[in-house]
């Protein structure tokens, strides 16, 4: 029997890369959750670019959502006759009437860089260069050979929840370097990017013991100005350099330590400093590849995986699992990870490096936290969303003319739904609010913590579902207008539709989650009302091509697209109609069809391997339907094609720095190996043939259970499971059911009995930790 604390698989693990990094987006990552730093460069010059989770540049409009409600009846009439072009024309005309440019996109305020620390050394060579990343901590180091035959290097460390980093410079031989804190000047454009450097004013000052860079902006609108500061301090007086900064003398074998503090004028929220060490080693995946124990560089392992080597393919999944969890923990503080986590090295970030809520955050940055041992990190989402309730009411009123709350598709510094173009009518996507309720309900079910459902959270729940039901009533029991991000029906000019499956599934799930939350609040009558409303929603459809329809009647499928929003009902607790019969087969046809389309050109755009969370959405749906091989294909593609030698992740295969795969890949692996409801759990629900043997530790699930240790090998499965006392109120009195992946007999157990050859049961009087070992 394996106890919860015995034989932790993750202690002291590191990985290393042999590549230098010419750009910040190729660097290695350090993060405290609050402050982020990217270390990049080569021996002659390394740079550490600094950012802060609350420093969003106030460069864009914060105007309230457009007043579209007066023309919505006309829009509905056009869509009812399947004339999406006329509907888009009506909206464009209304936007122009009210002073909006329908061809100009208003972006969210972008996450901005603050300062850059440079370490410059002359006359070095780059032989035997190495970058080492701690998989169980926030530390990174780089080292290289010196002309004297020794080694020199830099180590950067961060403490969870802090706003400072420690930089250590060391050489085995005497040497001299220059240390300079200055502004970030890079404006390498990302996708959909704007150059925001003009909005910031940076000043730099230097003394013998400190260097300071301050960034200030007045903001596009009155009262929105922001300030940020980076302050570098030395333990002893330093010699000024003629080129700026300090001339630092190194004595052989004696490290020089410096501290850089990064602050903003914003409100500080304490983050649990004790989470990091435990969080990063708590859940470890071992598929028997040997990658974690072999002294091979990440470049070697990934090259072997791309050549089809089976052990290396398992190795990249193992390493990406650990690296992805690390990236998310290190970039989640008081606020959740942005598209780029907490890291920024350019004034022209892709998609504003904001919180993109139509899938990136939920299926990317926060996808894994509930399931891989860190559910408390989900509270960062609550802190992001709750402050803007007035904006959500304004959105519902101005866009739809309805009561309640409409959460926008993008967030950073406000909650106004003002991000739209004719071809991207994000303001008509209503899924964000119901999606939020699913994550809230799952947080409570995983942690047992009901205190989060306070008055503010309940007010938000009421507002979201009031709006959802009002939309349904206003559309004549249909969702009209509706939108499936970011796809357009085949042969159509505009993506406005009726009854997008994504909206139907999200509202269905939101009403189910809301009904359960109402029970917690003791409001059973409201819970029954929401359950009845759920049953009145339009149903799922099977399209003419046999796939799960993405839209209502009259809109032709467009399967060849990066999004898979029609599968929303299979991402969490699967919606029962989708789990059996013809609808299940249609969902499987959608998953396999989209994977086949991607496989036709599996490269970054203009190829088809774009948008990592699209793979996560396909993989989660496949895992929840038991399609292990499709889920495995998604996991392998995410790990092999969307992670870099620096163990960062990318939006597209090998391009665009982005954390979506960092959260998505661990979430998918967890779903393949562990399934949970409040009353039952399942082990190896989507176990692929390629993972014949393996082990995973520290997964968390509904019913407030912890899968401390799961091991499997040829026909055998063993598991140690902790039943958290704070979740006893939601677990069935007769004990939780345990579903097995194949017929097997019980060999050994504590607190568990066998029901039949595919089912076990946790005994009602079981101890806090139970154990079972079954074999064919």
């Amino acid at each position: 029997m394996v106890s919860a604390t015995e034989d932790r698989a993750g202690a002291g693990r590191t990985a290393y890369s042999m590549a230098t990094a010419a750009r910040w987006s190729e660097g290695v990552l350090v993060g405290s959750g609050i402050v982020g730093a990217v270390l990049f460069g080569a021996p002659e010059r390394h740079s550490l670019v600094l950012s802060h989770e609350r420093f969003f540049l106030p460069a864009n409009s914060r105007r309230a959502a457009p007043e579209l409600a007066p023309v919505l009846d006309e829009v509905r009439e056009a869509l009812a006759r399947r004339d999406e072009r006329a509907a888009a024309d009506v909206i464009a005309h209304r936007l122009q009437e009210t002073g909006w440019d329908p061809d100009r996109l208003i972006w969210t305020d972008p996450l901005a860089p603050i300062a850059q620390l440079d370490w410059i050394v002359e006359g070095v060579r780059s032989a035997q260069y190495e970058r080492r990343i701690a998989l169980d901590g926030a530390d990174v180091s780089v080292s290289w050979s010196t002309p004297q035959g020794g080694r020199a290097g830099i180590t950067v460390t961060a403490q969870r929840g802090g706003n400072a980093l420690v930089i250590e410079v060391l050489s085995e031989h005497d040497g001299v370097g220059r240390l300079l804190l200055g502004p970030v000047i890079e404006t390498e454009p990302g996708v959909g990017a704007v150059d925001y450097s003009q909005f910031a004013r940076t000043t730099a000052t230097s003394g013998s013991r400190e260097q300071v860079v301050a960034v200030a902006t007045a903001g596009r609108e009155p009262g929105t100005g922001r300030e940020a500061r980076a302050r570098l301090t030395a333990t002893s007086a330093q010699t000024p350099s003629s080129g700026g900064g300090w001339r630092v003398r190194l004595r052989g074998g004696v490290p020089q330590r410096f501290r850089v503090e990064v602050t903003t004028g914003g409100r500080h929220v304490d983050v649990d400093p004790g989470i990091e060490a435990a969080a990063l080693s708590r859940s470890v995946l071992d598929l028997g590849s040997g990658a974690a124990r072999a002294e091979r560089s990440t470049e070697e392992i990934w090259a072997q995986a791309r050549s089809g080597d089976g052990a290396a393919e398992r190795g990249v999944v193992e390493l990406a699992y650990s690296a992805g969890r690390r990236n998310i923990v290190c970039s989640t503080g008081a606020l959740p990870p942005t598209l780029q986590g907490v890291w920024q090295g350019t004034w022209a970030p892709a998609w504003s490096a904001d919180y993109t809520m139509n899938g990136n955050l939920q299926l990317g940055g926060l996808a894994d936290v509930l399931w891989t041992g860190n559910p408390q990190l989900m509270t960062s989402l609550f802190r992001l969303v709750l402050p803007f309730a007035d904006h959500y009411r304004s959105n519902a009123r101005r866009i739809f003319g309805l009561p309640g709350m409409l959460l926008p598709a993008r967030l950073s510094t406000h909650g106004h739904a003002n991000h739209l173009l004719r071809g991207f009518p994000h303001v008509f996507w209503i899924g964000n609010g119901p999606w939020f309720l699913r994550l809230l309900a799952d947080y409570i079910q995983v942690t047992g913590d009901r205190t989060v459902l306070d008055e503010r959270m309940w007010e938000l729940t009421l507002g979201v579902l009031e709006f959802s039901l009002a939309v349904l009533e206003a559309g004549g029991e249909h969702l009209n207008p509706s939108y499936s991000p970011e796809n357009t029906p085949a042969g159509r000019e505009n993506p406005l539709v009726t009854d997008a499956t994504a909206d139907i599934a999200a509202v269905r799930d939101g009403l189910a989650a809301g009904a359960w939350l109402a029970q917690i609040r003791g409001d059973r009558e409201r819970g029954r009302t929401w359950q009845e409303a759920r049953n009145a929603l339009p149903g799922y459809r099977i399209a003419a091509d046999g796939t799960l329809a993405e839209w209502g009647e009259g809109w032709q499928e467009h399967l060849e697209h990066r999004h898979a929003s029609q599968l929303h009902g299979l991402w969490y607790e699967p919606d029962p109609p989708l789990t059996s019969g013809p609808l299940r087969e249609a969902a499987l046809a959608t998953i396999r069809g989209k994977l086949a389309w991607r496989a036709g050109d599996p490269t970054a755009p203009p190829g088809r391997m774009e948008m990592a969370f699209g793979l996560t959405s396909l993989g989660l749906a496949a895992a929840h339907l038991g399609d292990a091989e499709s889920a495995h294909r998604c996991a392998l593609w995410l790990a092999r094609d969307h992670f870099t030698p620096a163990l960062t992740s990318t939006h597209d295969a090998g391009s665009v720095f982005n954390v979506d795969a960092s959260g998505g890949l661990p979430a998918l692996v967890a779903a393949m190996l562990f399934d949970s409801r409040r009353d039952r759990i399942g082990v190896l629900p989507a176990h692929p043939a390629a993972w014949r043997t393996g082990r995973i530790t520290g997964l968390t699930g509904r019913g407030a259970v912890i899968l401390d240790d799961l091991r499997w090998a040829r026909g055998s499965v063993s598991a140690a499971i902790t039943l958290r006392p704070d979740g006893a109120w939601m677990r069935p009195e007769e004990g939780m059911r345990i579903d097995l992946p194949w017929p097997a007999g019980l060999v050994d157990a504590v607190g568990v009995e066998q029901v039949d050859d595919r089912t076990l049961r946790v005994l009602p009087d079981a101890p806090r930790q139970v154990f079972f070992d079954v074999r064919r």
Side-chain angles (χ1 to χ4, degrees):
M1 176 175 173
V2 179
S3 73
T5 57
E6 178 187 347
D7 190 18
R8 282 295 182 200
R13 298 168 305 136
T14 64
Y16 78 95
S17 161
M18 299 174 63
T20 58
R23 293 180 293 276
W24 75 273
S25 55
E26 300 169 350
V28 290
L29 305 178
V30 183
S32 71
I34 305 295
V35 170
V38 185
L39 179 63
F40 66 101
E44 61 272 15
R45 185 184 189 116
H46 281 95
S47 298
L48 189 71
V49 65
L50 304 167
S51 49
H52 190 286
E53 68 164 356
R54 290 193 178 275
F55 190 56
F56 290 88
L57 199 65
N60 290 312
S61 172
R62 301 187 188 185
R63 68 187 301 182
E67 291 188 279
L68 301 177
V71 299
L72 220 54
D73 283 344
E74 192 175 350
V75 171
R76 291 191 180 104
E77 290 172 4
L79 291 174
R81 62 178 186 268
R82 304 302 185 259
D83 190 349
E84 83 291 347
R85 179 176 296 178
D89 287 342
V90 170
I91 293 167
H93 182 67
R94 175 63 181 174
L95 289 171
Q96 291 170 334
E97 279 186 337
T98 54
W100 289 69
D101 183 351
D103 297 318
R104 179 178 175 272
L105 195 60
I106 296 177
W107 281 98
T108 43
D109 289 335
L111 183 71
I114 295 173
Q116 180 171 306
L117 181 64
D118 292 327
W119 173 248
I120 304 164
V121 183
E122 296 181 359
V124 297
R125 64 173 185 261
S126 59
Q128 299 177 347
Y129 186 77
E130 181 180 290
R131 302 184 291 175
R132 195 162 284 272
I133 304 109
L135 297 177
D136 301 316
D139 306 353
V140 297
S141 63
V142 296
S143 64
W144 58 91
S145 58
T146 65
Q148 299 92 334
R151 301 286 292 175
I154 305 167
T155 298
V156 185
T157 62
Q159 182 178 358
R160 172 76 187 166
N163 62 3
L165 307 172
V166 174
I167 297 95
E168 179 180 287
V169 183
L170 176 67
S171 176
E172 293 179 352
H173 300 276
D174 291 354
V176 177
R178 183 157 67 100
L179 190 64
L180 170 65
L181 185 68
V184 176
I185 60 174
E186 182 169 319
T187 57
E188 178 186 0
V191 181
V194 178
D195 179 358
Y196 292 108
S197 58
Q198 61 185 305
F199 292 95
R201 186 181 76 255
T202 302
T203 58
T205 58
S206 181
S208 62
R209 286 183 179 267
E210 75 170 20
Q211 299 180 48
V212 177
V213 166
V215 183
T217 175
R220 181 181 287 274
E221 298 181 0
T224 63
R226 296 299 309 276
E227 294 181 353
R229 190 174 82 146
R231 177 173 174 261
L232 176 70
T233 56
T235 55
S236 60
Q238 299 292 318
T239 304
S241 170
S242 59
W246 297 326
R247 180 178 171 83
V248 177
R249 292 191 175 276
L250 298 176
R251 288 188 299 150
V254 179
Q256 281 266 29
R257 292 186 178 90
F258 305 89
R259 185 175 188 270
V260 61
E261 183 181 37
V262 184
T263 56
T264 70
R267 179 174 61 94
H268 179 76
V269 176
D270 288 335
V271 176
D272 178 11
I275 181 181
E276 188 161 55
L280 290 174
S281 60
R282 183 177 296 133
S283 183
V284 178
L285 175 69
D286 183 357
L287 298 175
S289 75
R293 295 177 292 277
E295 274 294 306
R296 288 182 293 164
S297 70
T298 53
E299 290 84 5
E300 291 176 285
I301 297 170
W302 256 260
Q304 290 170 354
R306 292 189 179 109
S307 74
D309 180 273
E313 288 181 341
R314 298 193 302 276
V316 297
V317 174
E318 292 169 348
L319 287 172
Y321 183 86
S322 291
R325 291 184 69 256
R326 175 189 187 272
N327 295 343
I328 298 306
V329 170
C330 290
S331 62
T332 306
L335 297 175
T338 71
L339 291 174
Q340 295 180 186
V342 72
W343 298 287
Q344 187 57 277
T346 178
W347 293 100
W351 303 292
S352 259
D354 67 0
Y355 302 104
T356 304
M357 310 293 285
N358 67 5
N360 297 76
L361 183 57
Q362 301 95 326
L363 295 174
L366 288 178
D368 77 302
V369 298
L370 291 177
W371 320 115
T372 66
N374 300 315
Q376 63 273 49
L377 296 184
M378 186 58 75
T379 60
S380 65
L381 176 67
F382 307 156
R383 285 188 288 268
L384 170 68
V385 168
L386 282 173
F388 304 122
D390 289 344
H391 295 180
Y392 309 149
R393 292 193 185 278
S394 171
N395 296 338
R397 184 177 64 253
R398 294 172 71 90
I399 297 169
F400 284 86
L402 297 174
M405 297 187 190
L406 169 62
L407 276 62
R410 309 189 84 98
L411 279 170
S412 64
T413 57
H414 63 81
H416 295 302
N418 61 12
H419 178 82
L420 78 159
L421 282 176
R422 181 185 180 98
F424 291 91
H426 289 287
V427 298
F428 293 110
W429 175 63
I430 66 172
N432 188 11
W435 203 339
F436 177 88
L437 299 185
R438 163 49 56 194
L439 297 177
L440 169 62
D442 276 349
Y443 169 79
I444 297 173
Q445 292 179 21
V446 171
T447 64
D449 176 17
R450 291 172 282 185
T451 64
V452 69
L453 191 59
D454 58 15
E455 294 305 316
R456 289 179 72 203
M457 193 70 84
W458 185 239
E459 178 189 2
L460 186 73
T461 302
L462 294 173
V464 165
L465 294 182
E466 179 184 25
F467 171 72
S468 298
L469 296 180
V471 168
L472 185 63
E473 181 180 359
E477 303 308 311
H478 289 277
L479 299 180
N480 180 7
S482 190
Y483 176 52
S484 186
E486 297 167 350
N487 201 0
T488 301
R492 299 287 183 166
E493 186 260 359
N494 191 268
L496 284 173
V497 296
T498 57
D499 292 335
T501 301
D503 280 346
I504 292 171
V507 174
R508 281 178 59 86
D509 198 36
L511 287 166
W516 185 75
L517 296 172
Q519 291 181 27
I520 295 177
R521 295 280 301 190
D523 194 343
R524 295 186 179 276
E525 181 60 33
R526 195 185 302 273
R528 282 192 292 268
T529 298
W530 284 341
Q531 282 286 12
E532 291 169 2
R534 182 175 188 261
N535 297 332
L537 279 162
Y540 298 110
R541 290 193 321 108
I542 299 175
D545 62 0
T547 63
L548 185 65
E550 189 163 359
W551 301 280
E553 292 279 359
W555 309 98
Q556 187 176 347
E557 294 307 297
H558 181 206
L559 196 68
E560 302 81 7
H561 193 267
R562 61 188 179 275
H563 280 263
S565 300
Q566 65 267 52
L567 297 173
H568 187 113
L570 292 166
W571 293 337
Y572 299 93
E573 286 191 83
D575 200 349
L578 297 174
T579 61
S580 62
L583 283 173
R584 180 180 186 274
E585 294 306 311
L588 288 171
T590 297
I591 295 165
R592 293 164 185 171
K594 282 186 172 285
L595 291 178
W597 171 72
R598 282 180 176 259
D601 189 359
T603 59
R608 299 170 185 171
M609 197 62 76
E610 63 174 325
M611 203 185 81
F613 90 78
L615 285 174
T616 304
S617 62
L618 293 170
L620 288 174
H624 289 144
L625 291 176
D627 182 356
E629 298 315 310
S630 292
H632 174 253
R633 197 177 195 186
C634 293
L636 177 59
W637 284 354
L638 279 167
R640 187 191 65 196
D641 301 332
H642 291 267
F643 278 79
T644 74
L647 297 185
T648 58
S649 57
T650 59
H651 183 271
D652 303 329
S655 67
V656 189
F657 180 90
N658 175 277
V659 301
D660 290 354
S662 288
L665 182 278
L668 175 52
V669 169
M672 294 168 68
L673 301 179
F674 186 46
D675 184 35
S676 63
R677 306 289 186 271
R678 296 192 304 278
D679 62 346
R680 66 186 187 276
I681 59 177
V683 293
L684 306 183
H687 170 234
W691 299 355
R692 291 189 297 274
T693 64
R695 179 189 181 195
I696 195 165
T697 60
L699 298 183
T700 37
R702 300 181 184 92
V705 301
I706 303 171
L707 184 63
D708 297 303
D709 198 306
L710 173 67
R711 306 183 191 209
W712 68 94
R714 308 175 187 280
S716 67
V717 183
S718 65
I721 302 167
T722 294
L723 309 171
R724 292 176 50 163
D726 44 8
W729 61 271
M730 76 179 106
R731 293 192 292 265
E733 292 183 3
E734 65 273 18
M736 299 186 79
R737 190 180 88 200
I738 302 174
D739 295 328
L740 302 176
W742 49 68
L746 195 59
V747 175
D748 189 14
V750 174
V752 173
E753 67 176 2
Q754 185 142 22
V755 176
D756 57 44
D757 63 358
R758 294 294 297 267
T759 311
L760 308 178
R761 183 174 72 98
V762 177
L763 295 171
D765 59 350
R768 179 174 177 176
Q769 189 184 61
V770 300
F771 168 80
F772 69 84
D773 183 357
V774 298
R775 298 179 187 175
R776 287 187 193 271

